[in-house]
Amino acid sequence: MSLEVIEKVTQVETETRERKSAAEAEAKKIIADAEREGLALLQQVRAKAAETGAAQLKQAEARAAERSAKIAADAEAEAAALRTQAGKHLEEAAEFIVGRVVNH
């Protein structure tokens, strides 16, 4: 083999090693970038989920407060109706009691 051929093979091998090293470095950079972007996206998704969860909790609390107020208002209306009904029968009950006491 001539010296020229040996030098050419050596040069090609060197270039191949350099390209391989460059490709490995580029692959590592791509992986690192993808990991960084993935973590950033994950953080955004978690933040969005926390926001959404907080908003849903606030809505649920608002609906619960509305329902609680309605239940309280209904209970108060029912209590008022019962008081009115009881008031109507109060005089009858008093007469009944007095009649029982007097007759005994």
Side-chain angles (χ1 to χ4, degrees), residues 8 10-21:
K8 184 69 173 171
T10 303
Q11 180 184 0
V12 169
E13 287 176 345
T14 302
E15 289 172 359
T16 302
R17 275 194 299 273
E18 288 173 358
R19 278 190 246 143
K20 182 180 177 186
S21 293

Side-chain angles (χ1 to χ4, degrees), residues 40-95:
L41 182 59
L42 180 61
Q43 187 176 4
Q44 288 175 352
V45 169
R46 284 182 177 163
K48 181 69 173 174
E51 256 180 49
T52 302
Q56 289 175 344
L57 180 59
K58 189 174 180 180
Q59 290 173 353
E61 288 173 343
R63 286 192 305 268
E66 288 174 13
R67 184 163 163 80
S68 176
K70 182 172 180 353
I71 290 170
D74 290 347
E76 183 58 37
E78 188 175 344
L82 289 173
R83 280 193 296 275
T84 301
Q85 187 178 10
K88 290 178 183 176
H89 298 290
L90 183 61
E91 191 172 319
E92 292 173 18
E95 287 177 14

